[in-house]
Amino acid sequence: MELLTPDEMGRADALTIAGGVPGERLMERAGAAVARVAGRHAAVGSRVLVLCGPGNNGGDGFVAARLMAGMGYRVRVALLGARGALKGDAALMAGRWSGPVEAAAEASLEPVDLVIDALFGAGLARDLDGAARELVERLNAASLPVVAVDLPSGIDGASGAVRGAAVRAHWSVTFFRAKPGHLLMPGRLHCGELTVADIGIGPATLDVIRPQAFENVPELWGAGFPVPRAEGHKYSRGHLVAVSGPAQATGATRLAARAALRAGAGLVTVACPAAALAIHAANLSAIMVRPVEDADGLAHLLADRRLATVVIGPGVGVGQGARDRLRACADRRLVIDADLISSFAGAPDELARAMSRSPAAVATPHDGEFAKLFAGHDEVLSPPSKIERVRAAARRLGIVVVLKGPDTVVAAPDGRAAVAANAPPWLATAGAGDVLSGIVGGLLSQGMPAFEAACAGVWVHGEAAQEAGPGLVADDLIDALRLVYRRLFQRL
């Protein structure tokens, strides 16, 4: 589940070599892994073109070429740059290739059944230009099946960004651990199906590197997930309050409230203006409704310390009233979203001060809300990596931040970050974010720590969308949670 930046992967290689494993052996194993994956997608005797670059990625390509030729494939090798300029293990592997080597810039892509892209790996340091970019663009235009070595050439391993141009691969083979660029957009779209191959780097290297980025999977947070116990009861699973706005904007709050209950909160109360009371009551059954007109009314309700978790933002309205309501509940476990985040547009430090009393807090903005909140704060908005942007936001606010999207990132102020890769395209629908807020709130109410609750909520949300299927609306996510939880409980 760990994600290694290119620099961290370089350290893993170096530690392994220093421990007595020759770099030559690592490269042979990497090339063999590429050959295995390529062999699964092309019949023996097929025409394979291996495009090799000037570094170690190219060395992996030379190994794959030699092994596939030995298995009966008709292999051509094309090198970007001069063969005499290769160094170290890459030069050694090129020397073991007995066939001709073409100039990659001039290599024909016809007739070819499969291409192995071994031009550049995760450590690409600048945008592709010149002959390299022309070759990548020509390869994409040819629409051939492509196996990428490590990462598709042109994808930044740390951020997933396209560096000028990038190969669109059908399959990618990386080694030891995936990189952030495999999961972050748009890199994920270029990678195709990902294989992470074991090449003999021991997991003990992680104890030295201590990576802080992870794929968001149950192994990351499952140990603390609140599975119901026989001795438990509704009061032990927490009482959550969902704060509602005016009568014409009640649906978002109900989605959050229902999701929190389904996610395991023991009791849920909707706090709403009197004018919205009948609307909520007519549409809710297992959820209580209490009249609360303003911040003072919310503070009065929360005098009952058993109401320890609050979801505020969905449907609450934008402006001073929302800001005042936040201050009235700021000493509780909190999930803030939507209108509440927009109410602090351009004022993240004010929001941070308001949240500073919370024992566990999570903000769940989408890209637009994130940009509004941090408008003018380039230290948050300018990093090229989404992981780094969310980390900067979490440090600035002092809370866990969830930046939603197809590659939702969760980050904590201490630098931990997780990237989700399980959200289907049909999750992008009105109200889905309100459901996520409720799920996270429901997990917080059961005592799950903020980072783990946010990660688990994002993963469960994505799985519910997979379960509901294409054409879902937000209500379907809440119903699908039952099946997701059933499978998750069996897994934990």
Side-chain angles (χ1 to χ4, degrees):
M1 64 182 174
E2 299 88 357
L3 299 176
L4 298 185
T5 66
D7 287 345
E8 289 171 335
M9 187 62 208
R11 289 184 63 201
D13 282 334
L15 287 166
T16 303
I17 293 169
V21 180
E24 168 191 353
R25 188 180 305 169
L26 295 178
M27 190 169 285
E28 282 282 356
R29 291 170 177 170
V34 173
R36 284 194 298 272
V37 171
R40 290 200 292 265
H41 301 292
V44 173
S46 297
R47 297 160 298 192
V48 177
L49 173 62
V50 184
L51 299 174
C52 294
N56 284 345
N57 206 247
D60 298 338
F62 275 106
V63 174
R66 169 168 46 85
L67 295 176
M68 295 193 77
M71 290 186 285
Y73 291 89
R74 291 179 283 171
V75 180
R76 293 164 47 212
V77 173
L79 175 63
L80 190 66
R83 188 167 184 169
L86 294 172
K87 298 178 181 179
D89 293 326
L92 181 63
M93 298 308 164
R96 292 178 182 175
W97 168 250
S98 59
V101 177
E102 307 171 30
E106 302 167 4
S108 172
L109 300 180
E110 296 178 357
V112 172
D113 299 308
L114 182 137
V115 176
I116 294 178
D117 164 28
L119 293 169
F120 303 99
L124 186 67
R126 61 182 179 84
D127 288 358
L128 296 183
D129 56 13
R133 179 165 182 164
E134 290 174 9
L135 178 58
V136 167
E137 291 174 341
R138 190 156 59 91
L139 177 58
N140 286 339
S143 298
L144 293 167
V146 176
V147 176
V149 179
D150 195 14
L151 268 162
S153 293
I155 294 297
D156 187 293
S159 70
V162 172
R163 302 298 301 262
V167 170
R168 291 192 293 269
H170 296 74
W171 307 277
S172 295
V173 186
T174 195
F175 315 111
F176 182 51
R177 293 293 187 272
K179 317 296 187 300
H182 288 116
L183 301 187
L184 294 171
M185 301 293 279
R188 195 168 85 208
L189 298 180
H190 286 254
C191 288
E193 180 182 330
L194 178 63
T195 296
V196 180
D198 178 6
I199 60 171
I201 299 175
T205 59
L206 298 174
D207 296 333
V208 179
I209 296 168
R210 301 178 64 85
Q212 287 283 78
F214 307 88
E215 182 177 358
N216 189 352
V217 290
E219 289 74 15
L220 179 62
W221 40 261
F225 196 86
V227 178
R229 305 297 179 191
E231 67 275 17
H233 48 80
K234 63 185 178 182
Y235 297 107
S236 65
R237 292 163 65 183
H239 193 155
L240 179 142
V241 174
V243 181
S244 173
Q248 70 272 18
T250 58
T253 311
R254 281 197 302 279
L255 285 170
R258 291 182 56 229
L261 192 65
R262 183 73 80 185
L267 302 100
V268 176
T269 292
V270 169
C272 65
L277 194 68
I279 299 171
H280 282 301
N283 287 280
L284 297 170
S285 51
I287 293 170
M288 297 171 280
V289 182
R290 292 282 298 273
V292 170
E293 293 297 334
D294 52 22
D296 290 340
L298 182 59
H300 180 73
L301 174 67
L302 294 177
D304 184 345
R305 302 299 300 181
R306 293 174 298 178
L307 280 60
T309 305
V310 176
V311 175
I312 180 168
V316 78
V318 176
Q320 187 61 48
R323 294 192 291 271
D324 291 342
R325 285 176 172 84
L326 174 62
R327 294 184 179 96
C329 61
D331 61 345
R332 306 304 161 95
R333 293 191 288 266
L334 287 171
V335 181
I336 63 169
D337 187 26
D339 291 349
L340 192 283
I341 295 173
S342 296
S343 295
F344 287 87
D349 293 338
E350 183 182 350
L351 178 58
R353 287 191 293 273
M355 303 282 284
S356 62
R357 292 188 293 131
S358 174
V362 179
T364 61
H366 57 55
D367 281 334
E369 293 158 351
F370 189 87
K372 288 180 183 177
L373 176 61
F374 292 103
H377 295 270
D378 290 345
E379 74 283 0
V380 175
L381 298 179
S382 63
S385 168
K386 185 173 182 177
I387 290 175
E388 293 308 318
R389 292 196 297 276
V390 186
R391 280 175 170 158
R395 288 193 298 268
R396 189 67 180 261
L397 296 178
I399 64 173
V400 172
V401 175
V402 179
L403 182 52
K404 296 179 287 194
D407 53 353
T408 295
V409 173
V410 180
D414 63 10
R416 287 175 296 162
V419 185
N422 68 329
W426 48 87
L427 182 54
T429 187
D434 305 317
V435 173
L436 175 61
S437 296
I439 295 171
V440 175
L443 296 173
L444 280 180
S445 77
Q446 297 171 82
M448 206 172 183
F451 179 74
E452 287 78 3
C455 291
V458 167
W459 185 87
V460 164
H461 190 240
E463 291 298 299
Q466 295 279 11
E467 182 68 43
L472 70 83
V473 296
D475 301 85
D476 298 330
L477 295 169
I478 300 170
D479 296 333
L481 283 177
R482 293 178 62 248
L483 294 173
V484 173
Y485 266 46
R486 179 180 298 172
R487 290 196 298 268
L488 182 59
F489 289 172
Q490 292 169 349
R491 179 174 175 177
L492 296 178

